[in-house]
């Protein structure tokens, strides 16, 4: 009998639903003005990467599928590509409406203006001319298009340009088309012009150049100016290469990223058809690569839009909270040997992770440090601590993942710098990404096994630790440390496979263990016990795990899913998912943690780590999921999940059509991120009181 197909959303349409939720945050009244602008920038940045990587891959696969009929890729066909573009165009139109109808008027109320074709005062114009001639002119490189030459012009990836139609002043019949770069890759996108009063006037670099074109082309009339931008395929296609020097391959291929095949050509909708035809021929573009846009592109540059009233118009700052036990400890290494410590970023300070690496680098008892690095800060304090550890005579082994998309160059730079300092660098395993966020410190100790571990849900990156909501466990648990050491030695020597029992490690036991945990809840439900699963993920895409969740729902297991991004599971589907609820939270921090909670007849089991439920994470990467064993830490994670599931303002419910459904306006607003921050502050206050109430020790 043929197995019944399970309902699954398309992963790319689902991702667009997530990015639309980001865009909706820019509409919300309670979000401060400059945070709305940042959400527009995040939406634009996300979409830009989608076209550079995912959509480019879809197009390549579609072309392959037409040649090889056996290729199957999640319902990939021409209609899917058209549906994606249709959804994006609608979202872009709403983006434009939010920008013009909400952002611009709110800025004007604060006396902050973005120039939009108004007449400039003499002071404005003088300020513009000075900046253009002293700064901008150095980067301008006009190129004339030969309308008869195919593939005659090359546009850089993601760089902004103007297409300009010129008419000779002396020979009116003589027209030509010129492309001029807008040098926002070298200069700020927004330039402040002098006003002479208490108002602020900013102008797009694009418009500064537009107004200065008569200076650039004094012998021509400007007949028309239209902005354009080309996205190129940014995938490196190195995941399946199994031979040769991977560092050299990636270094070489990084240059290819900027000359990859076109994936999307954005152009001003006002551009005449004959000019577009010339561009298509000169750039070698097909019709399906053309996407009509507005006057401006690269809205992710709004990340840097100046706020002259700072810190007004932004979120109220939440200072990172201290962890009292670690704060009072003379040695963080000694403190971890005594008991586990659980940290919640960015609510609690990431300095404790930095302190861990710094102390280990200088502690004479520490003999060895091993760690994995996926994404690292451009000015990394952790990398510098590893360099110091090596120079202090310690054995330091770092597994450096070179295939972390868009961080390859930074990772190669730091790998070379550490290697020069004596750090043993283990480079990427061809065909396999290491996505685990773990570190092991081996130390001479009388009271413990001599090993201390850090297990995280986020990268060793102090910059993103202030923006991403993650968790980190510091532990000297002998079983967990032993299994981690086995994994790190496997990555080093690639010989003896680890045999995890406490840890869940993809490639070895992760997916079967998750199946086992779900089966157990199903068995409890069949035996009339209350069964409940809570799972928090960035992405839920793997059909095998989704089918297992459908099985659990049909068996009567209550399932709550907190899924930030892609969710291929279809909630509220009759016969499949009546017992499954899916929510999505978008707020000031990026929800990044992966948490797995199983009721287990009241003997709760909780796991956390780096792995989403995607095929790539479960089957084709090295990921580490770790258990939470301390009962107080379990309560903290349960509180975190409870607060998130009770969010009635920033959380949306995903319906079976992937709509982001906001809840009815509540009488009492509950938001997950503010709620958890407030809860940690209250916990700290309770801990301080408990400590102060203890009787003093007497000799």
């Amino acid at each position: 009998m043929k197995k019944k197909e399970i309902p699954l959303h398309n992963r790319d349409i689902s991702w667009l639903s997530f990015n639309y939720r980001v865009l909706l945050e820019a509409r919300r009244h309670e979000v401060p003005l400059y945070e709305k602008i940042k959400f527009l920038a995040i939406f634009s940045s996300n979409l830009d990467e989608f076209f550079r990587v995912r959509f480019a891959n879809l197009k390549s696969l579609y072309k392959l599928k037409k040649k090889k009929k056996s290729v199957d890729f999640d319902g990939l066909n021409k209609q899917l590509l058209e549906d994606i573009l249709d959804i994006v165009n609608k979202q872009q139109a709403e983006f434009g409406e939010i920008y013009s109808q909400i952002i611009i008027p709110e800025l004007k109320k604060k006396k902050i203006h973005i120039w939009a074709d108004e007449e400039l005062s003499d002071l404005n114009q003088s300020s513009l001319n000075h900046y253009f001639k002293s700064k901008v002119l150095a980067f301008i490189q006009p190129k004339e298009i030969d309308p008869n030459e195919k593939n005659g012009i090359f546009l850089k990836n993601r760089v902004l340009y103007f297409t300009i139609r010129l008419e000779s002043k002396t020979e009116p019949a003589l027209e030509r088309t010129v492309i001029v770069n807008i040098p926002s890759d070298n200069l700020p996108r927004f330039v402040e012009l002098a006003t002479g009063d208490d108002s602020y006037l900013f102008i797009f670099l694009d418009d500064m150049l537009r107004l200065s074109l008569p200076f650039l082309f004094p012998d021509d009339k400007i007949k028309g100016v239209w902005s354009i931008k080309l996205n190129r395929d940014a995938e490196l296609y190195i995941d399946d290469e199994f031979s040769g020097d991977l560092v050299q391959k990636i270094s070489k291929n990084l240059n290819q990223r900027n000359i990859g095949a076109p994936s999307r050509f954005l152009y001003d909708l006002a551009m005449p058809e004959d000019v577009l035809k010339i561009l298509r021929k000169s750039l070698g573009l097909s019709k399906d690569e053309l996407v009509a846009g507005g006057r401006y592109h690269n809205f992710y540059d709004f990340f840097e839009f100046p706020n002259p009233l700072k810190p007004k118009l932004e979120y109220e700052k939440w200072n990172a909270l201290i962890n009292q036990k670690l704060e009072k400890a003379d040695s963080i290494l000694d403190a971890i040997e005594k008991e586990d410590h659980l940290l919640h970023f960015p609510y609690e300070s990431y300095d404790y992770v930095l302190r861990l690496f710094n102390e280990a680098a200088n502690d004479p008892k520490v003999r060895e440090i091993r760690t994995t690095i996926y994404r690292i800060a451009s000015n990394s304090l952790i990398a510098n601590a590893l360099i110091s550890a090596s120079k202090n005579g310690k054995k330091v082994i770092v597994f450096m993942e070179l295939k972390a998309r868009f961080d390859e160059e930074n990772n190669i730079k730091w790998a070379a710098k550490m290697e020069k300092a004596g750090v043993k660098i283990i480079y990427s395993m061809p065909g396999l990404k290491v996505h685990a966020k773990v570190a092991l410190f081996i130390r001479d100790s009388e009271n413990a096994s001599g090993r201390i571990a850090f297990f995280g849900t986020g990268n060793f990156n102090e910059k993103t630790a202030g923006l991403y909501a993650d968790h980190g466990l510091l532990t000297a648990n002998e079983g967990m440390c032993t299994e981690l050491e086995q994994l790190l030695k496997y990555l080093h020597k690639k010989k003896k496979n680890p045999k995890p029992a406490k840890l869940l490690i993809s490639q070895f036991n992760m997916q079967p263990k998750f199946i086992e945990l779900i089966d157990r809840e199903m068995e409890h439900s069949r035996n009339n016990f209350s069964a409940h699963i809570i799972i928090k993920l960035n992405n839920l895409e793997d059909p095998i795990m989704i089918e297992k969740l459908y099985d659990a729902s049909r068996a009567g297991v209550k399932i709550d899913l907190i899924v930030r991004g892609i969710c291929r599971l279809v909630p509220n589907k009759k016969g499949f998912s009546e017992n499954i609820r899916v929510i999505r939270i978008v707020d000031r921090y990026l929800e990044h943690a992966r948490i797995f909670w199983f009721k287990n007849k009241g003997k709760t089991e909780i796991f956390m780590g780096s792995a989403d439920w995607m095929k790539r994470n479960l089957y084709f990467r090295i990921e580490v999921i770790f258990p939470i064993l301390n009962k107080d830490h379990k309560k903290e994670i349960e509180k975190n999940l409870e607060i998130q599931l009770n969010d009635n303002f920033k959380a949306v419910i995903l319906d079976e059509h992937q709509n982001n459904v906001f809840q009815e306006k509540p009488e009492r607003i509950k938001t997950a991120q503010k709620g958890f921050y407030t809860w940690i502050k209250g916990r700290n206050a309770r801990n301080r009181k408990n400590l102060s109430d203890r009787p003093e020790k007497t000799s």
Side-chain angles (χ1 to χ4, degrees):
M1 179 184 287
K2 186 178 179 182
K3 191 174 182 180
K4 186 178 180 181
E5 288 190 9
I6 63 170
L8 290 171
H9 287 308
N10 174 269
R11 63 165 283 176
D12 298 292
I13 302 295
S14 180
W15 182 88
L16 291 172
S17 167
F18 153 67
N19 206 36
Y20 182 60
R21 171 64 188 92
V22 173
L23 178 62
L24 290 177
E25 204 66 4
R27 273 195 179 280
R28 307 197 72 178
H29 174 73
E30 79 284 352
V31 176
L33 175 55
Y34 269 72
E35 305 301 339
K36 290 178 183 176
I37 293 171
K38 284 180 184 175
F39 279 111
L40 290 183
I42 293 167
F43 170 85
S44 183
S45 178
N46 288 348
L47 196 59
D48 190 77
E49 181 176 333
F50 175 80
F51 275 98
R52 294 167 68 198
V53 178
R54 184 66 189 175
F55 194 71
N57 283 350
L58 287 174
K59 287 176 59 183
S60 298
L61 285 164
Y62 176 65
K63 289 174 184 176
L64 178 64
K65 183 178 181 179
K66 289 200 293 184
K67 293 178 183 177
K68 298 182 180 181
K69 300 296 183 183
S70 62
V71 175
D72 185 27
F73 190 80
D74 187 23
L76 175 60
N77 52 41
K78 187 177 181 182
Q79 186 60 50
L80 173 61
L81 299 179
E82 291 176 354
D83 288 346
I84 288 172
L85 290 175
D86 183 55
I87 292 169
V88 169
N89 287 336
K90 289 177 181 176
Q91 291 181 0
Q92 292 278 45
E94 186 163 349
F95 179 104
E97 178 199 334
I98 292 170
Y99 176 71
S100 61
Q101 303 300 317
I102 296 176
I103 303 299
I104 294 299
E106 287 191 22
L107 283 170
K108 285 182 177 178
K109 288 179 183 177
K110 305 297 180 182
K111 296 187 178 181
I112 301 170
H113 305 275
I114 300 177
W115 183 84
D117 289 328
E118 304 94 339
E119 185 175 347
L120 291 172
S121 69
D122 290 343
L123 182 59
N124 298 156
Q125 188 67 56
S126 175
S127 179
L128 184 151
N129 291 342
H130 177 82
Y131 189 90
F132 178 78
K133 291 175 182 178
S134 61
K135 302 281 175 53
V136 182
L137 201 53
F139 299 100
I140 299 301
Q141 299 146 12
K143 297 176 183 177
E144 187 168 345
I145 297 177
D146 183 345
N148 299 312
E149 186 179 5
K150 190 174 182 180
N151 297 319
I153 292 287
F154 178 84
L155 298 186
K156 292 181 181 179
N157 182 37
R158 303 175 81 203
V159 172
L160 301 173
Y161 296 88
F162 277 143
T163 301
I164 306 165
R165 176 64 63 84
L166 300 173
E167 179 186 278
S168 172
K169 289 180 179 178
T170 55
E171 299 179 58
L174 185 62
E175 288 193 352
R176 58 198 178 106
T177 304
V178 174
I179 286 181
V180 176
N181 62 304
I182 301 169
S184 59
D185 50 337
N186 301 108
L187 296 169
R189 185 77 184 279
F190 303 97
V191 181
E192 184 175 3
L193 300 181
T195 61
D197 55 29
D198 63 348
S199 66
Y200 303 92
L201 176 61
F202 296 97
I203 187 168
F204 275 93
L205 187 63
D206 322 31
D207 288 326
M208 177 173 281
L209 176 57
R210 190 188 297 266
L211 292 172
S212 303
L213 289 176
F215 176 82
L216 280 179
F217 303 104
D219 299 326
D220 298 282
K221 292 180 181 178
I222 313 297
K223 300 285 288 183
V225 184
W226 307 279
S227 59
I228 59 173
K229 169 195 164 182
L230 188 65
N231 279 113
R232 295 188 178 276
D233 184 347
E235 192 54 88
L236 294 180
Y237 302 109
I238 53 177
D239 285 0
D240 298 320
E241 297 188 19
F242 288 86
S243 61
D245 189 327
L246 201 60
V247 181
Q248 288 185 0
K249 277 185 177 178
I250 293 175
S251 297
K252 180 180 178 182
N253 284 331
L254 282 171
N255 294 324
Q256 300 297 315
R257 177 168 281 163
N258 289 322
I259 59 173
S263 61
R264 179 176 68 152
F265 179 71
L266 274 170
Y267 65 94
D268 190 332
L269 183 61
M271 181 184 290
E273 189 63 34
D274 62 322
V275 177
L276 185 59
K277 189 175 180 180
I278 290 171
L279 285 172
R280 273 194 61 201
K281 183 176 181 179
S282 184
L283 295 169
L285 301 170
S286 60
K287 278 187 177 180
D288 63 353
E289 288 157 353
L290 305 180
V291 178
R295 174 169 171 147
Y296 306 104
H297 309 308
N298 282 9
F299 267 81
Y300 51 77
D301 285 336
F302 268 97
F303 279 121
E304 306 302 327
F305 185 66
N307 181 2
L309 304 180
K310 196 170 185 176
K312 292 181 180 178
L313 312 181
E314 296 179 358
Y315 282 133
E316 175 191 357
K317 185 174 176 59
W318 293 350
N319 293 318
L321 303 170
I322 66 168
N323 181 289
Q324 285 154 326
K325 289 183 179 179
L326 292 177
E327 192 70 26
K328 291 183 177 181
D330 291 330
S331 164
I332 196 168
L333 295 163
D334 289 343
I336 298 166
E337 285 189 348
K338 291 175 184 175
E339 62 178 331
D340 289 0
H341 298 268
L342 183 64
L343 295 168
H344 312 287
F345 313 119
Y347 309 103
E348 292 182 291
S349 174
Y350 196 73
D351 287 351
Y352 301 111
V353 179
L354 303 180
R355 183 177 157 189
L356 172 63
F357 279 88
N358 291 341
E359 283 191 23
N362 291 279
D363 186 337
K365 295 180 182 178
V366 172
R367 294 182 282 107
E368 187 175 331
I369 302 173
R370 293 175 182 255
T371 188
T372 59
I373 292 178
Y374 190 73
R375 299 188 193 277
I376 192 169
S378 57
N379 189 21
S380 173
L381 294 172
I382 288 175
N384 279 304
L386 293 169
I387 288 171
S388 293
S390 179
K391 290 184 175 181
N392 290 340
K394 304 179 192 307
K395 184 178 181 181
V396 182
I397 302 175
V398 174
F399 185 95
M400 180 66 78
E401 180 53 74
L402 299 181
K403 300 188 295 291
R405 185 181 294 131
F406 303 126
D407 278 274
E408 303 95 344
E409 189 171 3
N410 187 52
N411 286 5
I412 289 172
K413 178 196 80 172
W414 273 113
K417 193 171 181 180
M418 286 190 283
E419 203 163 29
K420 188 176 179 181
V423 175
K424 173 70 176 175
I425 300 292
I426 311 299
Y427 287 106
S428 287
M429 304 168 74
L432 184 69
K433 278 188 180 180
V434 175
H435 191 246
K437 293 88 167 66
V438 292
L440 184 70
F441 307 87
I442 300 175
R443 188 179 190 231
D444 294 325
S445 174
E446 297 176 0
N447 303 319
S449 67
R451 286 166 297 191
I452 289 170
F454 175 89
F455 295 94
T457 66
N459 296 298
F460 289 116
N461 187 320
E462 53 267 33
K463 181 178 179 182
T464 56
L467 304 170
Y468 293 6
D470 274 305
H471 308 278
L473 177 68
L474 310 175
T475 183
N477 180 277
E478 187 170 0
M480 293 168 66
C481 289
T482 297
E483 291 176 17
L484 178 58
E485 186 172 15
Q486 289 174 358
L487 173 64
L488 293 171
K489 285 183 175 179
Y490 166 78
L491 295 177
H492 184 187
K493 301 292 185 181
K494 303 179 182 65
K495 290 180 181 178
K496 189 176 180 180
N497 288 358
K499 296 179 180 179
K502 289 182 177 291
L503 301 180
L504 281 60
I505 304 176
S506 54
Q507 308 293 311
F508 301 103
N509 70 333
M510 182 181 291
Q511 194 256 20
K513 181 63 175 179
F514 278 135
I515 296 288
E516 177 188 318
L517 290 165
I518 296 172
D519 280 339
R520 188 180 63 189
E521 290 299 316
M522 292 169 64
E523 186 65 22
H524 292 332
S525 180
R526 293 190 187 104
N527 291 323
N528 296 317
F529 291 102
S530 174
H532 190 187
I533 297 170
I534 306 172
I535 297 173
K536 180 181 178 182
L537 295 163
N538 292 347
N539 299 295
L540 175 56
E541 174 263 351
D542 179 46
I544 295 173
M545 298 310 299
I546 291 172
E547 184 171 19
K548 198 67 193 174
L549 290 174
Y550 286 153
D551 291 344
S553 174
R554 284 193 289 255
V557 180
K558 179 185 176 183
I559 302 171
D560 285 301
L561 302 176
I562 306 167
V563 185
R564 187 193 81 213
I566 297 165
C567 182
R568 296 192 65 198
L569 180 145
V570 182
N572 306 315
K573 188 73 174 177
K574 188 175 181 180
F576 289 93
S577 55
E578 288 96 334
N579 288 319
I580 302 177
R581 178 176 71 137
V582 185
I583 70 168
R584 168 182 287 151
I585 296 172
V586 173
D587 203 344
R588 67 164 68 190
Y589 301 134
L590 181 79
E591 291 293 339
H592 192 250
R594 292 85 165 179
I595 304 174
F596 309 88
W597 181 95
F598 300 90
K599 186 170 185 177
N600 190 28
K601 290 169 53 176
K603 298 176 182 177
T604 305
E605 287 197 59
I606 300 176
F607 300 84
M608 302 195 301
S610 61
D612 283 317
W613 278 6
M614 301 184 78
K615 290 190 284 285
R616 69 188 187 194
N617 303 92
L618 292 170
Y619 313 116
F620 304 111
R621 290 183 173 184
I622 293 290
E623 305 271 10
V624 174
I625 298 290
F626 52 94
I628 300 299
L629 304 175
N630 179 289
K631 65 178 183 179
D632 291 331
H633 295 164
K634 281 186 177 183
K635 289 178 181 177
E636 290 188 11
I637 296 301
E638 287 179 334
K639 177 57 68 172
N640 175 262
L641 293 172
E642 176 193 326
I643 290 171
Q644 296 223 327
L645 290 171
N646 287 328
D647 187 315
N648 58 16
F649 199 64
K650 293 294 187 177
V652 295
I653 297 171
L654 290 186
D655 69 13
E656 61 179 300
H657 305 294
Q658 302 191 78
N659 295 315
N660 296 283
V661 181
F662 286 93
Q663 299 177 54
E664 294 291 328
K665 192 170 183 180
E667 291 183 13
R668 183 183 169 209
I669 291 173
K670 298 177 184 177
T671 61
Q673 293 185 357
K674 185 176 181 180
F676 192 52
Y677 180 74
T678 302
W679 182 85
I680 293 174
K681 286 178 75 173
R683 180 206 64 185
N684 287 356
R686 291 190 295 275
N687 288 346
R688 280 195 299 272
K689 185 177 186 303
N690 290 338
L691 288 171
S692 64
D693 286 346
R694 288 180 185 173
E696 292 185 15
K697 289 184 179 180
T698 57
S699 56

